Amino acid sequence: MFLLDLFKKRAKGRTPYEWFEQMILGILVFIIAMIIIYTLILAIITLVNDFRSGITFMETAALQDTFGLILTVIILVEFNHSIVLAIRLARKLVLLDYAAASVETLLGLGGLALSLGGLYWLISDGEQRRRTPDSIVR
C-alpha cells in the first residue's frame, strides 16, 4: 500500500503527455534491466563452465570472454544509471522555477550550459580536423 500511495502522490497534477512520457521511460528502463539480468546470467553460466573446465580456464581466449561478459554487465548497469540520471536532470531543468531560483543555482546552470556547449564544440571541431582535403572522395 505504501508504494501505491507514493505513486498516487507523485502522479497528482500530471498531464496526459507526462503520463505517456513516464510510461515510455519506465518501459525503456525495464527493457534495459531485463538485458542486464540476461547478460548477468550468461556471465555466471560462462564463469561456472570456465571453472569446471579446470586448467583450460587460464587460456587467454577464455579469460577474455569471461572478463568481456563481466565488463558488459558493468557497462549496461552504468548505461541504465546514466539514462535515469539524465531523465531526472532534464526534468529538473525544465520544471525549475527560474524566477525563484537562487543565484548559485542559476550560476550552476550557466556553467552546465557552457560546459555542454564547449563539449559540443570540441566534438564537432574534432570531426572537422579529422577530415583533410586529401581524404575527400570525389
Side-chain angles (χ1 to χ4, degrees):
M1 284 302 201
F2 174 72
L3 289 176
L4 185 60
D5 293 336
L6 181 65
F7 180 74
K8 286 180 182 178
K9 186 178 179 181
R10 287 188 176 183
K12 192 175 183 180
R14 285 193 178 158
T15 64
Y17 179 76
E18 288 173 339
W19 277 103
F20 173 75
E21 182 183 70
Q22 288 300 312
M23 285 182 2
I24 296 299
L25 293 175
I27 291 169
L28 286 175
V29 169
F30 178 75
I31 290 171
I32 293 171
M34 291 294 103
I35 293 171
I36 290 170
I37 292 170
Y38 176 74
T39 309
L40 181 63
I41 291 170
L42 253 152
I44 291 170
I45 291 170
T46 302
L47 191 60
V48 167
N49 288 336
D50 286 344
F51 281 141
R52 284 185 184 165
S53 67
I55 194 68
T56 58
F57 171 65
M58 297 308 291
E59 293 178 6
T60 305
L63 286 173
Q64 286 177 343
D65 289 343
T66 303
F67 285 118
L69 279 172
I70 292 169
L71 287 175
T72 301
V73 172
I74 293 170
I75 289 168
L76 285 169
V77 169
E78 190 59 35
F79 179 68
N80 197 23
H81 177 73
S82 297
I83 288 175
V84 172
L85 188 65
I87 291 167
R88 287 182 187 157
L89 178 63
R91 181 168 299 284
K92 284 182 182 180
L93 289 176
V94 170
L95 298 178
L96 181 67
D97 183 14
Y98 290 97
S102 67
V103 174
E104 294 84 10
T105 302
L106 293 176
L107 286 174
L109 291 175
L112 177 66
L114 284 174
S115 64
L116 289 174
L119 179 64
Y120 175 77
W121 176 74
L122 286 172
I123 291 172
S124 65
D125 189 45
E127 288 294 322
Q128 291 175 357
R129 279 186 274 154
R130 281 189 217 135
R131 293 188 206 129
T132 60
D134 297 332
S135 66
I136 299 175
V137 179
R138 293 181 182 155

